[in-house]
Amino acid sequence: MTKLAAGFKQIGHYRISDPYSLLPFRFMRLDAGRHVLTNMAGQHLVVPAGIMPELVERRLPTGHPLVPDLEAGHFVTQGADDVHLELLAAQIRTRQARLADMTALHMFVVSLRCDHSCGYCQVSRVSEDRKAFDMTPKTADRAVDLMLRSPSRQLKVEFQGGEPLLNFPVIQRIVERTKKRAGEQDLAFVIATNLAFVTDEILDFCAAHQICISTSLDGPPELHNTNRPRPGKDAHARTIDGINRCRARLGHDRVSALMTCTASSLAQPEAIIDEYVRHGFQEIFLRYISPYGFAVRAANKVGYETEQFLEFYRRGLANILNLNGEGVRMREVYASILLRRMLTSQPTGYVDLQSPAGAGLSALVYNYNGEVYASDEGRMLAEMGDKTFHLGSVHHSTWESLFLDSPLLDMADRTMTEGLPGCSECAFQPWCGSDRVFHHATQGDAVGHRPTSAFCRRNMEIMRHLVRLLEDDPAAAEILRGWAR
Amino acid sequence: MKLNDKAHFGFGAKAFIGLLEARAADGNYALRNLSIDDPKRLTLRIGSSGSPADVSLSEEMAYLRAGDMLRLNPQTNDIRVLYRGSSRHNFLFLTERCNSRCLMCSQPPRSIDDSYLADDILRMIPWMAKDTRELGITGGEPTLLHDRLTALLGAVKEHLPSTALHMLSNGRLFSYLRYAERVAEAKPADFMVGVPLYADTASAHDFVVQASGAFEETLFGLLNLARVGVRVELRMVVHRHTYARLPQFAQFVARNLPFVDQVVIMGLELMGYARSNLDSLWIDPVEYQDELERCVHHLDQAGLNVFIYNHQLCLLRPSLRRFAKKSISDWKNIYLPECDGCTLKTECGGFFASATLRHSSHIHSIR
């Protein structure tokens, strides 16, 4: 390198010649030849496996090409220790920013009645004519008043069922009361519906109050109708018709759809994705079936092994990446959530990937009868006789008692992956979360046993797959990085 | 500049700040001395025509208008134009002192007592046009002025409430949270600090700014500015010692400093130390297009506002041209004979005049 003018010092003068120091990081084998390192805030670096002994014994020479990457990623430090810790702390604070806000998502089960009889339904349902399973106006009012005690600056009200449109007057009542009584909070409303009962009056109300629609679309007609039976076997046709009517009245982007992967879906990820493309969706959530409610009882019929799901997921993701390569805009939602956690410092609100677990802290469920649960799955367990996740009732609980006189604090304490056995040393810990309800339901234990946990296996393999794509497939990596925003 | 006896007497023969006021029928301006509290008005003539006046300036100053301000030194007969009411590029030059010594500094620092510069600026601010859109603070390192800097920010806030104020600072002194807080209290509504960060590792940044510990101080400063709610622009200058890790720099910024308002990637201005160290610093911009493209793309993808300054459009890859800004002031930039007939010339910022010393060998007209 050409000399600098007199009086200027060369770079060697500014290098600390002593070996670097290690900052806290986790690492594990990515595959035979590589290790993946993650720092405390979830930044990752893939290194050749053989280099690990030298790296951790601080024997890498300062001139080694990996050293600047390790230093810039806060894995090692050479003389600027304080700023590394401060930048890590700032990232962690940003990632956890939502925790201080408390509960933002509030799910109202306004009716247990439903016209569908889906085999995988994770909620209990009763037939259409039994009004005893509707939320009453009085219960609705009390639930709204309780929700408005949440300190969260954003409140998202989600109407669930059963089929919530079967009790539309109570939805109207809740929306109007919430709007009237809310203070400074930002409000958002979503109705999770199969759209079989949508009318012009309902759409007018949704338009007037900027209510979003979330529906279920499992794939092509045959698959959808098999997964989601209803009298007349016309679930798919009604859903598509409903989607089109909602879009026409509310706007294209006001309608989203969710799919659930059943045993019948496993062989046809491409056909399912094509169905989403055909109907103008730009995102799809390749969603694992939940082992609750009817889904547990019907496990033999609709369930499958984690490995089969992973095969389905990888095939589906490859198909979506190919479509993007051909210029079709389509995003896989679960990968997007994970990539945001892997590649940015931004907080993610997804309830199932939080530490401590999001149940209760991020979301509350108000059942039709006024009972309050930490999650929809917790409500389901209660229907099956297990009241572990019951927090109180809108009729006699206060906001404080929901959290303080309930299992919730203990739950939070025992679901921090930073300290859980099997999680604390895992390189993917900063990206993952814990699902206490899942481990309670499947392993009979709040903490759970990771080596036999389907939750752990599924998430580990999806994250491993994403890391490899980012490393090995530049075209895929380019698309995936775009999803992280 | 020529002064008559009355002017010498009136000004006490000391250097002063003069404001051009209304122009009389004979073409002469009234000149107000802002450096003394009991202002005496004198007359100023530009060129040889017109009535005799207390102060005469040569014809080349004919561009001056009422509202402009100058520093006049009767002892040396020097004048310096400090403020032009009609310009969008007014910079308040606060000090020549600096606590860094960057390899490519276009304005090499001097350790001198130049506190008069800040005094002059404080005198001028109340007389600046209320509709001044933008004002820059530059140096040297403005934060070395401490109380006088906060006084200046307060004066802009008071007298020019609708002016956008942009300050260039290495940010190191904002590692003291109290100082950042004081600046946040004093600042006008529309205020941004442009802070240079030249690397994603300590030794590489400290080397470029020739100061041990600077990387750590600047980063603490950036975090403190964010904490007190001061908007920040990050500046990176590309040269032989910084280009190689541009993509990693972008990752570092997106991950650690996502709160910055904008990131500016700049080419060299071949003045000052950049001339002294030219052989060590120089790299033809065509050689770092790959690194620059990955850097800009990554920042853009992360949702940050990113701009490219001081780069000619013909050297940038087509994907980068939309990020380029005409950053060189209209009265400072030049074009080369190669630029003749180029269809992008009107959108291109051209060169600093100093580019005649060295420029890319790949300059060409785009047709």
Side-chain angles (χ1 to χ4, degrees):
Chain A
M1 195 163 291
T2 322
K3 257 182 65 188
L4 294 161
F8 290 94
K9 298 189 177 73
Q10 294 293 343
I11 188 161
H13 177 84
Y14 299 95
R15 279 201 187 115
I16 311 282
S17 51
D18 293 332
Y20 51 83
S21 316
L22 298 181
L23 290 164
F25 65 84
R26 299 177 171 87
F27 64 96
M28 66 185 193
R29 204 167 271 283
L30 179 65
D31 46 33
R34 295 179 293 185
H35 271 66
V36 56
L37 281 57
T38 57
N39 72 18
M40 297 180 76
Q43 288 181 258
H44 77 280
L45 188 65
V46 174
V47 303
I51 211 165
M52 286 312 293
E54 268 183 283
L55 165 54
V56 296
E57 288 165 14
R58 304 192 296 147
R59 289 190 283 115
L60 283 182
T62 304
H64 192 285
L66 261 181
V67 172
D69 290 339
L70 289 163
E71 194 187 340
H74 312 304
F75 297 97
V76 306
T77 166
Q78 299 193 83
D81 312 13
D82 288 349
V83 82
H84 283 296
L85 297 180
E86 192 68 23
L87 290 171
L88 281 168
Q91 283 194 43
I92 292 170
R93 270 198 305 276
T94 311
R95 290 171 79 87
Q96 295 285 20
R98 289 180 191 222
L99 203 53
D101 262 5
M102 294 284 292
T103 320
L105 176 61
H106 298 262
M107 290 175 270
F108 289 72
V109 181
V110 294
S111 175
L112 280 193
R113 294 184 289 140
C114 190
D115 58 314
H116 281 55
S117 48
C118 309
Y120 56 66
C121 186
Q122 60 168 287
V123 303
S124 62
R125 61 168 178 271
V126 295
S127 58
E128 275 174 74
D129 50 0
R130 295 172 67 188
K131 295 238 173 181
F133 295 94
D134 281 4
M135 186 178 271
T136 64
K138 185 181 159 196
T139 300
D141 289 354
R142 285 178 182 265
V144 168
D145 294 349
L146 197 56
M147 168 183 74
L148 291 175
R149 296 289 318 282
S150 170
S152 177
R153 280 166 296 180
Q154 279 124 28
L155 291 179
K156 186 173 186 179
V157 179
E158 189 175 306
F159 298 104
Q160 292 215 351
E163 170 48 50
L165 292 186
L166 290 173
N167 191 10
F168 191 68
V170 160
I171 292 181
Q172 287 176 293
R173 189 179 179 97
I174 290 170
V175 170
E176 281 160 1
R177 187 179 180 91
T178 303
K179 282 191 148 182
K180 203 166 106 191
R181 302 206 165 197
E184 302 282 283
Q185 291 129 320
D186 290 334
L187 301 175
F189 299 96
V190 184
I191 303 176
T193 168
N194 62 38
L195 291 175
F197 301 100
V198 73
T199 64
D200 289 343
E201 290 70 33
I202 289 174
L203 288 177
D204 287 344
F205 184 82
C206 291
H209 295 276
Q210 287 95 45
I211 298 173
C212 290
I213 299 295
S214 170
T215 193
S216 295
L217 180 61
D218 277 4
E222 199 187 345
L223 175 63
H224 186 94
N225 290 333
T226 309
N227 280 354
R228 302 179 60 81
R230 78 177 300 279
K233 298 186 170 51
D234 59 351
H236 183 270
R238 280 184 178 247
T239 296
I240 297 301
D241 178 58
I243 288 170
N244 291 335
R245 286 174 64 192
C246 291
R247 282 176 172 166
R249 183 70 182 86
L250 306 177
H252 192 94
D253 57 347
R254 291 263 151 190
V255 186
S256 61
L258 278 175
M259 65 83 58
T260 302
C261 176
T262 66
S264 326
S265 316
L266 290 172
Q268 44 182 319
E270 296 84 4
I272 296 169
I273 293 158
D274 281 351
E275 182 72 6
Y276 272 69
V277 174
R278 183 175 309 122
H279 294 293
F281 289 102
Q282 296 196 342
E283 53 180 48
I284 184 168
F285 195 149
L286 298 178
R287 206 164 56 127
Y288 184 74
I289 200 164
S290 308
Y292 312 105
F294 281 78
V296 170
R297 278 172 254 155
N300 295 336
K301 199 171 129 206
V302 296
Y304 41 77
E305 295 294 317
T306 304
E307 296 310 316
Q308 291 175 283
F309 174 77
L310 287 169
E311 178 54 29
F312 166 84
Y313 186 85
R314 283 189 284 253
R315 250 177 76 185
L317 190 61
N319 182 243
I320 293 169
L321 291 170
N322 280 338
L323 287 172
N324 276 277
E326 291 163 13
V328 179
R329 275 179 75 94
M330 179 59 73
R331 224 163 57 96
E332 202 284 309
V333 175
Y334 198 65
S336 304
I337 295 165
L338 284 170
L339 288 160
R340 197 171 154 94
R341 293 176 70 77
M342 293 162 67
L343 300 177
T344 82
S345 312
Q346 301 305 313
T348 50
Y350 187 65
V351 176
D352 292 348
L353 289 175
Q354 305 287 325
S355 168
L361 297 177
S362 305
L364 284 174
V365 179
Y366 307 92
N367 205 4
Y368 72 97
N369 56 5
E371 300 304 309
V372 184
Y373 295 94
S375 74
D376 208 27
E377 294 80 5
R379 173 174 73 91
M380 270 324 308
L381 289 178
E383 301 283 348
M384 296 159 74
D386 176 352
K387 301 202 94 180
T388 308
F389 301 97
H390 178 251
L391 303 180
S393 154
V394 301
H395 298 294
H396 42 74
S397 298
T398 61
W399 177 261
E400 289 74 17
S401 73
L402 283 185
F403 292 87
L404 302 177
D405 303 333
S406 78
L408 215 107
L409 287 183
D410 174 60
M411 234 186 273
D413 194 33
R414 292 214 244 159
T415 54
M416 292 198 59
T417 52
E418 287 81 352
L420 289 185
C423 292
S424 64
E425 67 274 30
C426 174
F428 294 160
Q429 182 277 329
W431 305 336
C432 203
S434 50
D435 189 338
R436 174 159 179 185
V437 190
F438 180 92
H439 290 112
H440 175 86
T442 58
Q443 300 190 328
D445 177 56
V447 171
H449 179 247
R450 294 294 168 270
T452 53
S453 159
F455 175 91
C456 178
R457 172 81 187 149
R458 176 167 47 93
N459 281 308
M460 291 280 284
E461 286 312 305
I462 292 176
M463 290 187 254
R464 201 183 288 272
H465 187 56
L466 291 174
V467 173
R468 285 205 191 113
L469 286 174
L470 290 170
E471 286 295 308
D472 302 337
D473 185 341
E478 172 62 21
I479 296 160
L480 294 174
R481 277 195 289 268
W483 292 358
R485 276 192 64 186
Chain B
M1 179 180 71
K2 278 189 193 141
L3 283 79
N4 66 18
D5 291 346
K6 183 186 164 204
H8 274 288
F9 181 75
F11 303 145
K14 282 185 186 153
F16 66 99
I17 302 296
L19 165 72
L20 269 65
E21 294 192 312
R23 199 167 189 179
D26 63 2
N28 288 345
Y29 289 93
L31 182 69
R32 178 192 283 256
N33 181 345
L34 300 180
S35 299
I36 49 177
D37 292 331
D38 176 24
K40 293 181 174 58
R41 279 198 189 70
L42 298 170
T43 54
L44 177 130
R45 182 173 77 171
I46 301 177
S48 50
S49 60
S51 322
D54 303 321
V55 182
S56 306
L57 302 182
S58 62
E59 191 66 48
E60 60 189 310
M61 307 308 291
Y63 63 81
L64 291 174
R65 294 286 175 271
D68 293 353
M69 288 180 259
L70 339 164
R71 187 167 208 276
L72 302 95
N73 188 336
Q75 287 168 352
T76 59
N77 277 357
D78 283 340
I79 57 162
R80 205 158 68 217
V81 180
L82 295 181
Y83 172 81
R84 296 198 54 212
S86 61
S87 172
R88 286 196 59 177
H89 302 281
N90 280 301
F91 290 95
L92 310 177
F93 185 79
L94 212 49
T95 180
E96 290 192 68
R97 296 184 296 134
C98 191
N99 50 353
S100 292
R101 195 161 174 266
C102 302
L103 298 176
M104 64 297 176
C105 183
S106 60
Q107 180 69 50
R110 292 200 298 160
S111 286
I112 52 166
D113 177 8
D114 54 7
S115 51
Y116 73 93
L117 288 170
D119 295 340
D120 287 353
I121 290 166
L122 281 167
R123 297 254 181 202
M124 284 159 54
I125 287 171
W127 299 95
M128 291 181 184
K130 300 296 174 204
D131 60 355
T132 300
R133 283 165 66 184
E134 296 168 47
L135 213 47
I137 299 178
T138 180
E141 175 50 44
T143 60
L144 293 176
L145 275 92
H146 296 277
D147 288 345
R148 254 193 291 235
L149 173 63
T150 47
L152 188 152
L153 296 176
V156 172
K157 183 182 185 176
E158 183 188 345
H159 297 286
L160 302 168
S162 58
T163 299
L165 186 63
H166 187 280
M167 177 170 88
L168 291 174
S169 163
N170 61 37
R172 293 172 59 188
L173 283 173
F174 292 129
S175 58
Y176 295 96
L177 178 60
R178 184 71 196 110
Y179 194 12
E181 284 170 346
R182 285 181 49 208
V183 164
E185 285 158 21
K187 74 176 183 65
D190 192 348
F191 177 61
M192 185 185 271
V193 186
V195 178
L197 187 69
Y198 297 133
D200 59 344
T201 60
S203 55
H205 177 86
D206 290 357
F207 164 61
V208 173
V209 305
Q210 295 279 300
S212 294
F215 180 74
E216 195 159 23
E217 287 172 0
T218 292
L219 282 166
F220 271 111
L222 289 166
L223 290 169
N224 283 339
L225 288 172
R227 192 169 294 159
V228 300
V230 171
R231 293 191 297 137
V232 172
E233 167 191 275
L234 221 52
R235 297 191 151 211
M236 158 60 95
V237 178
V238 190
H239 50 71
R240 180 156 304 274
H241 303 293
T242 57
Y243 82 93
R245 286 185 67 84
L246 277 175
Q248 291 89 341
F249 169 81
Q251 283 180 12
F252 182 87
V253 170
R255 195 72 191 231
N256 293 286
L257 308 168
F259 52 82
V260 300
D261 277 80
Q262 57 195 48
V263 183
V264 178
I265 315 289
M266 309 175 68
L268 281 174
E269 179 179 5
L270 304 185
M271 297 286 283
Y273 289 155
R275 278 176 191 246
S276 327
N277 291 318
L278 186 57
D279 288 337
S280 176
L281 295 171
W282 177 257
I283 173 172
D284 192 315
V286 295
E287 290 179 43
Y288 59 69
Q289 288 303 299
D290 193 38
E291 288 84 359
L292 181 63
E293 190 172 41
R294 283 159 64 203
C295 171
V296 170
H297 181 64
H298 191 86
L299 292 168
D300 182 49
Q301 206 171 38
L304 287 157
N305 296 316
V306 47
F307 300 102
I308 300 173
Y309 285 6
N310 310 350
H311 279 79
Q312 296 75 42
L313 293 179
C314 57
L315 302 182
L316 293 176
R317 288 195 180 158
S319 74
L320 290 173
R321 288 183 190 152
R322 70 187 172 97
F323 297 99
K325 203 165 160 178
K326 282 181 82 166
S327 55
I328 307 173
S329 315
D330 291 347
W331 44 272
K332 257 170 120 178
N333 70 343
I334 61 162
Y335 296 89
L336 299 179
E338 291 93 315
C339 303
D340 290 346
C342 178
T343 51
L344 295 180
K345 192 169 172 181
T346 53
E347 295 154 50
C348 184
F351 301 81
F352 286 112
S354 56
T356 49
L357 184 64
R358 194 177 302 187
H359 57 76
S360 169
S361 49
H362 296 80
I363 297 293
H364 61 281
S365 69
I366 295 171
R367 290 167 201 272

